[in-house]
Amino acid sequence: MQANKPEPATTHATAQVPTPETHSAKDGGEFTIGHGDVLIAAITSCTNTSNPSVMLAAGLLAKKAVEAGLSVKPHIKTSLAPGSRLVTRYLTEAGLLPYLEQLGFALAGYGCTTCIGNAGDLTTEINAAIRQSDLVCAAVLSGNRNFEARIHPNLKANFLASPPLVVAYAIAGTVLTDLTAQPLGKGRDGKEIFLRDIWPSSEEIHAQLNHAMNGAAFQENYGKVASEPGKLWERIRGVDGATYTWPESTYIAEPPFFEGFKLAIEQPVTTGLQPRNPYAVHGARIIALFGDSITTDHISPAGSIHPDSPAGQWLCAHGVQQADFNSYGSRRGNHEVMMRGTFANVRIKNLMLPPLSNGAREEGGLTLYRDAACNARKMPIYDAAMQYQAEGRASVIFAGEEYGTGSSRDWAAKGTQLLGIRAVIARSFERIHRNNLVGMGVLPLQLRGDDSWMSLGLKGDEFIEVIPDPRLTPQSDAELCITRADGSQLRRTLTLRIDTPIEADYYRHGGILPFVLRQLLQD
């Protein structure tokens, strides 16, 4: 089940791109990019930048690189975004910040940038060259996220590295360079410079650590949070009262998780002529057939918002200009944006869609919606989910191994629930995402033995029934009934991946949020 993964390029494609006018004539007027070329290099916040040893190492490496005559090609998007002003303070006091700036690693801001997709776009010419030649170009960053399309929708290869290695790969210009054996580039007089020539020693790093061990500087800096919060922060006005008033905003909105809330929960009836199982899913449509290793970044929206996507169209309809779209991460407080971005990753592959003429699989959050007559229409997963919900029809997902790996936790489950997806049937689940699905009232069910949706012959035009144990006994049997377009049926036994009694309680209540609310109201 490898069809969901990107196809490897068979040849080394290259593309020439005009040099931006801001660069000097010595840059040659144009440059060539190809597979493996680094186009984004970012020393970014939240992990490595809290470690002064590696930040000082990056500064020392930059100093030695500049002194040796090395530089970074002008088309590589470089940035420095530490998590604290203390970092730029001690780099300045150590005399190292100017060398980072000379290589392009100037301060971009403080906080999340590249690993949540906030590095900004590449130039129009570079984006066009990548698409036209189907290039596999790279980003190198010192953050902690590198899932598909998260850094930039057109960069397919994203590598995590320490801050000094980010600087080194920016100088090399390609991840295809073996830094242990090949030169980073040529310095003054055409001399080849290797990484070992400019890598700082432990002694050199230790000698600079005194600049980062200034307790008074930390107290002074964080004391400004109260004394000098900044003009933007000062303009924020709160409201009186015990509850939030939910002002009109495209950034934050009251979520619908408690719509239709009732104090009592529906109980199953297991005896009599017509037993009732409120947890059963009947007549559901398949909204996606996924392969292995579908991550929470494939599921949960992250990174930039495309203007033609359902989220982009919604923002446009609400008067937001494309330049002000910002990112999914910044708009995670608005469910209208986030549910439209769920399964909208530009690299996700819904294998329900037929192969392209060259045998490759179409990328993007698309599905085949099927009406009552089973006529199929291709559309975004969000649009199809809304159509099914309007019809009062549930939908389900089938997937392969390791469904839900990754770290974009909450909205991967919230978005799934808001789309009306009642069950996810997979070969295996990542532990936390499985738990989060239960917490949002979505059934996780596991195929047994060698069963997969491929071996079951699923095409996406089937009706699906799932009947779990009405007692929701942890890891009990559940029945899967597949009704094909010709009316024939296939039955299989699944494992209910509600793993603990408390998870069963959450699911009975419709999820952890209504569970907690009922607990509060009953106390």
Side-chain angles (χ1 to χ4, degrees):
M1 298 178 69
Q2 299 298 311
N4 62 303
K5 298 184 183 299
E7 294 81 17
T10 55
T11 60
H12 183 85
T14 60
Q16 287 191 325
V17 182
T19 300
E21 295 178 0
T22 53
H23 297 135
S24 61
K26 69 181 177 63
D27 294 326
E30 63 181 13
F31 54 88
T32 298
I33 59 174
H35 294 313
D37 279 10
V38 174
L39 297 182
I40 291 178
I43 300 173
T44 188
S45 67
C46 87
T47 49
N48 283 294
T49 65
S50 63
N51 181 341
S53 295
V54 293
M55 293 303 295
L56 290 165
L60 287 166
L61 187 141
K63 180 177 185 291
K64 292 186 176 189
V66 169
E67 291 172 344
L70 294 173
S71 62
V72 175
K73 293 178 181 178
H75 65 276
I76 298 176
K77 192 179 186 74
T78 47
S79 62
L80 170 65
S84 169
R85 289 182 175 90
L86 267 302
V87 177
T88 45
R89 176 169 175 161
Y90 66 67
L91 285 174
T92 301
E93 291 178 352
L96 300 176
L97 188 59
Y99 295 102
L100 285 165
E101 293 173 335
Q102 193 166 335
L103 292 179
F105 291 93
L107 177 67
Y110 299 96
C112 290
T113 54
T114 306
C115 45
I116 193 58
N118 288 342
D121 204 1
L122 301 171
T123 66
T124 302
E125 295 85 357
I126 289 177
N127 281 324
I130 292 171
R131 289 192 296 266
Q132 290 167 7
S133 297
D134 194 21
L135 298 176
V136 180
C137 295
V140 181
L141 63 150
S142 68
N144 63 359
R145 304 286 192 278
N146 65 337
F147 299 107
E148 285 184 306
R150 185 181 178 111
I151 309 305
H152 188 280
N154 287 332
L155 297 186
K156 294 184 177 181
N158 305 296
F159 296 92
L160 304 181
S162 67
L165 281 179
V166 170
V167 177
Y169 274 110
I171 295 168
T174 173
V175 295
L176 302 180
T177 297
D178 180 355
L179 297 185
T180 65
Q182 296 174 284
L184 292 173
K186 292 184 178 180
R188 292 186 178 86
D189 302 323
K191 180 183 177 182
E192 289 187 338
I193 307 296
F194 291 80
L195 181 61
R196 59 179 175 267
D197 298 326
I198 61 171
W199 190 263
S201 67
S202 298
E203 291 76 19
E204 289 173 311
I205 296 170
H206 186 77
Q208 298 285 357
L209 276 176
N210 63 299
H211 297 291
M213 300 299 176
N214 184 346
F218 279 81
Q219 292 175 341
E220 176 189 342
N221 181 71
Y222 289 103
K224 292 179 180 178
V225 173
S227 62
E228 302 175 37
K231 294 187 180 301
L232 288 175
W233 188 263
E234 289 174 345
R235 289 207 298 265
I236 297 174
R237 294 291 177 264
V239 296
D240 296 328
T243 58
Y244 190 62
T245 56
W246 299 106
E248 194 71 27
S249 172
T250 57
Y251 277 96
I252 189 167
E254 183 176 8
F257 300 125
F258 297 110
E259 288 182 1
F261 175 83
K262 297 178 182 178
L263 190 58
I265 63 174
E266 187 176 5
Q267 299 291 341
V269 176
T270 58
T271 60
L273 295 177
Q274 291 184 319
R276 184 180 71 251
N277 185 344
Y279 316 122
V281 179
H282 298 289
R285 280 295 191 187
I286 302 171
I287 205 164
L289 296 171
F290 291 134
D292 298 331
S293 300
I294 294 296
T295 72
T296 50
D297 267 71
H298 289 116
I299 304 166
S300 173
S304 59
I305 301 172
H306 195 280
D308 294 332
S309 67
Q313 293 173 356
W314 186 88
L315 288 170
C316 286
H318 285 76
V320 181
Q321 300 297 315
Q322 184 179 346
D324 298 322
F325 276 7
N326 214 317
S327 66
Y328 284 111
S330 67
R331 295 186 180 272
R332 63 187 300 109
N334 190 310
H335 64 279
E336 296 287 0
V337 174
M338 298 301 282
M339 64 191 290
R340 285 168 170 80
T342 303
F343 297 107
N345 186 296
V346 297
R347 292 283 169 258
I348 198 170
K349 296 182 181 181
N350 185 352
L351 304 182
M352 183 191 300
L353 302 177
L356 301 174
S357 58
N358 62 358
R361 290 289 187 167
E362 189 168 0
E363 294 180 326
L366 301 169
T367 190
L368 295 177
Y369 162 78
R370 288 181 167 84
D371 59 21
C374 210
N375 297 311
R377 280 189 290 141
K378 185 168 71 173
M379 62 178 65
I381 286 177
Y382 168 80
D383 293 340
M386 294 303 101
Q387 292 260 33
Y388 288 137
Q389 286 201 56
E391 298 166 6
R393 187 175 296 284
S395 56
V396 300
I397 284 173
F398 282 84
E401 302 276 1
E402 298 178 337
Y403 183 82
T405 57
S407 58
S408 296
R409 301 291 188 194
D410 58 336
W411 270 106
K414 290 176 182 175
T416 300
Q417 187 249 34
L418 290 176
L419 293 181
I421 295 166
R422 292 283 306 281
V424 177
I425 304 161
R427 291 269 301 155
S428 64
F429 291 90
E430 189 274 339
R431 175 180 58 88
I432 298 176
H433 184 59
R434 179 207 60 76
N435 180 270
N436 288 349
L437 287 174
V438 176
M440 289 309 301
V442 179
L443 277 176
L445 299 143
Q446 189 162 330
L447 293 155
R448 291 184 172 179
D450 294 329
D451 280 349
S452 67
W453 64 260
M454 287 184 173
S455 70
L456 299 179
L458 296 183
K459 299 177 181 178
D461 58 355
E462 300 85 358
F463 286 102
I464 301 299
E465 280 190 300
V466 175
I467 305 173
D469 175 6
R471 295 166 297 182
L472 294 180
T473 305
Q475 296 199 346
S476 56
D477 291 350
E479 183 180 4
L480 168 67
C481 179
I482 300 165
T483 302
R484 304 191 191 278
D486 62 6
S488 62
Q489 291 190 331
L490 177 67
R491 296 180 183 273
R492 283 292 189 272
T493 300
L494 306 173
T495 298
L496 176 66
R497 288 304 310 275
I498 292 177
D499 288 358
T500 64
I502 189 61
E503 287 182 352
D505 282 342
Y506 294 158
Y507 190 82
R508 290 187 187 99
H509 283 259
I512 193 169
L513 296 176
F515 172 85
V516 171
L517 182 56
R518 289 189 180 98
Q519 295 290 313
L520 292 172
L521 293 175
Q522 291 169 356
D523 285 346

